[in-house]
Amino acid sequence: MKLPLIILPMTCLALAISSAVQASSHREAPFITENPKVDATDFYAFRSYEPGREGFVTLIANYNPLQDAYGGPNYFSLSPDAIYEIHVDNNGDAKEDLTFQFDFSQRLGNAGKGLALPIDGKNVPVPLTNIGPILANDHANANFREFYTLNLIKGDRRTGEAIRAKQADNNRSFFAKPLDNIGGKTFSTQSYEDYAHTFIQPVRLNGCPANAQIGRVFVGQRKDPFAVNLGEIFDLVNTNPVGATDGEADALADKNVTTLALEVPIACLKGSGEGIIGLWTTASLPQTSSLLEEPKNLKAKSSTGPWVQVSRLGMPLVNEVVIGLPDKNRFNASQPKDDAQFIDYVTKPTLPVLLSALFGVEAPTVTGRPDLVAAFLTGLKGVNANGSVGEMVRLNMNIQPTAQAAQKNLGVAAGDAAGFPNGRRPGDDVVDAELRVAMGLLCHLGLNLCTPEQAVSGQLPYTDGVLQTAEPFKASFPYLNTPLAGSPN
């Protein structure tokens, strides 16, 4: 009886408390399980470490989790009924000052009629996404394509001024998304990565300062960047939590995700917050949706009414393992400025007590857990605190990026100030870091939040057994790796 109970609090607590966590958020609330296309899985924000791009910040929002590469014939489009947004608080009030809004559309081949084959004197539409090889400059064989627009909204996301971004090289107001990695035969004349690379576009962010408008954007399928012992964690942490840091299998090693990646000049993001910004991503759907009795082409429902937020992600796994089940849908609909309603989940955590009773370790004894409040709601003083209270990824843009080869996977705790919890990079192993923070690691760092005596188990080497480092990732935008191919597999 004791072993499962021991393990459950360890992971939940670990995944719950760090401020810039790097963990996937898959199916974390009841409603979102019905809507995977708007399920945010990971959110990253970091100073660009690609050589020559140090003056930029990279924002990456991943959606539509647990994609099997062979998921045909329709694969993994984003929802044309939704809007996907990345929000920036740059003055320390936990409200968005800038919003980057992605809006998607879908198009059938053959001018919207669908590709067809002549059979017995009649052109019959085909059931497949493509009917031949695909090239970056030749989508004639594609039966389905996705496009998107990008708006920069200043002020309130719903009432602020929306300014359309343009392709910087041709001034077009729309961008194309590559097909998912269907397989080696579809992309037989051009490697998938070469094909996808052509969809990295220079973007003119109208509304930013004149000298800080040109960034880059990419939306497309990527290999899931997160590494975690996911199945065993949710089987009451059915693993050794103090074992080898690389002793378990990555449950997401065979999964892809859909990435929204945006590289933004630092000067575009700066406000009055002395270079420290708070960030999070959301997805919203129209309030009213009606199924069409007679669906036509790609449209099966009619949607109207104001936008309603259904997904929210800043510090991942918060909703999965911190917020109580009755509040999970509400958290997904909420905003950082209103996070006082969830404060008891941080200041009165029960999981450390369970660890103490069942795992033979001692829970931190400090009242109100000021270490967790700092990590979860305010940022760390001297690192990324910006005066606001609310759950966000906080990034101090004044701290220089660390070159990929020199990055420490435990970030600030390992002496790498450009890593977690100062933003979040793909190679930050925050699952392991979170396990240690959960049991009071911050009490041992001289932050005056609590004392080592109040967290005697705060330096134990907890781990999920899956190692995350910067080394496997790309060293250039959009940093995430080529998605796994559906064939051969």
Side-chain angles (χ1 to χ4, degrees), residues 397-430:
M397 299 186 296
N398 301 307
I399 295 176
Q400 292 294 315
T402 302
Q404 183 181 32
Q407 290 179 16
K408 306 292 186 182
N409 69 337
L410 295 181
V412 172
D416 182 0
F420 139 87
N422 180 34
R424 174 191 170 198
R425 303 168 303 195
D428 290 337
D429 193 345
V430 296

Side-chain angles (χ1 to χ4, degrees), residues 164-375:
R164 182 64 53 86
K166 302 289 185 70
Q167 294 187 37
D169 51 3
N170 59 27
N171 210 38
R172 292 176 180 169
S173 60
F174 66 90
F175 301 82
K177 175 178 175 288
L179 293 180
D180 291 345
N181 195 356
I182 295 169
K185 192 172 184 180
T186 291
F187 298 101
S188 58
T189 56
Q190 182 181 32
S191 74
Y192 184 83
E193 191 57 26
D194 287 344
Y195 162 77
H197 188 81
T198 65
F199 291 84
I200 299 174
Q201 295 289 332
V203 58
R204 184 179 300 279
L205 297 168
N206 297 312
C208 290
N211 63 344
Q213 291 188 344
I214 306 300
R216 288 185 291 183
V217 65
F218 171 82
V219 174
Q221 192 179 50
R222 295 282 91 187
K223 165 73 179 66
D224 194 323
F226 183 56
V228 65
N229 187 9
L230 194 62
E232 291 181 351
I233 279 179
F234 287 106
D235 182 25
L236 305 177
V237 189
N238 189 9
T239 186
N240 180 3
V242 291
T245 57
D246 59 354
E248 299 287 352
D250 174 16
L252 303 180
D254 62 347
K255 304 300 182 185
N256 295 326
V257 293
T258 300
T259 290
L260 285 66
L262 184 63
E263 189 184 58
V264 184
I266 289 175
C268 177
L269 299 172
K270 275 189 174 180
S272 60
E274 299 182 353
I276 300 177
I277 56 177
L279 308 106
W280 68 102
T281 183
T282 66
S284 300
L285 292 168
Q287 188 175 53
T288 303
S289 181
S290 300
L291 298 177
L292 299 177
E293 292 186 4
E294 296 185 9
K296 184 177 182 181
N297 290 339
L298 299 173
K299 193 171 181 62
K301 62 182 179 180
S302 175
S303 299
T304 59
W307 294 110
V308 176
Q309 181 181 306
V310 296
S311 180
R312 167 188 170 187
L313 182 57
M315 303 182 294
L317 283 176
V318 169
N319 206 6
E320 280 181 310
V321 295
V322 181
I323 306 300
L325 187 59
D327 287 330
K328 288 182 182 291
N329 288 336
R330 185 155 65 101
F331 180 85
N332 265 354
S334 67
Q335 299 181 47
K337 66 182 180 64
D338 299 320
D339 280 347
Q341 64 186 311
F342 305 115
I343 190 66
D344 284 350
Y345 292 113
V346 180
T347 62
K348 305 178 189 301
T350 59
L351 296 177
V353 178
L354 292 173
L355 275 176
S356 176
L358 302 171
F359 202 42
V361 295
E362 294 188 39
T365 58
V366 57
T367 301
R369 293 304 301 267
D371 55 330
L372 302 189
V373 171

Side-chain angles (χ1 to χ4, degrees), residues 87-168:
H87 308 285
V88 182
D89 164 27
N90 62 18
N91 62 8
D93 62 0
K95 301 177 183 178
E96 69 274 9
D97 299 294
L98 301 173
T99 294
F100 298 98
Q101 183 186 89
F102 296 79
D103 191 1
F104 290 86
S105 61
Q106 301 175 347
R107 187 182 305 169
L108 288 172
N110 189 25
K113 299 176 183 177
L115 297 179
L117 296 175
I119 301 176
D120 293 336
K122 189 172 183 178
N123 290 327
V124 181
V126 302
L128 304 178
T129 298
N130 62 303
I131 61 173
I134 300 295
L135 287 167
N137 59 357
D138 184 2
H139 282 80
N141 290 323
N143 198 26
F144 174 85
R145 294 198 65 191
E146 291 179 273
F147 300 87
Y148 63 95
T149 58
L150 173 61
N151 285 332
L152 171 60
I153 302 172
K154 292 187 171 184
D156 185 273
R157 67 181 80 176
R158 299 293 170 254
T159 61
E161 178 186 11
I163 306 170
R164 182 64 53 86
K166 302 289 185 70
Q167 294 187 37

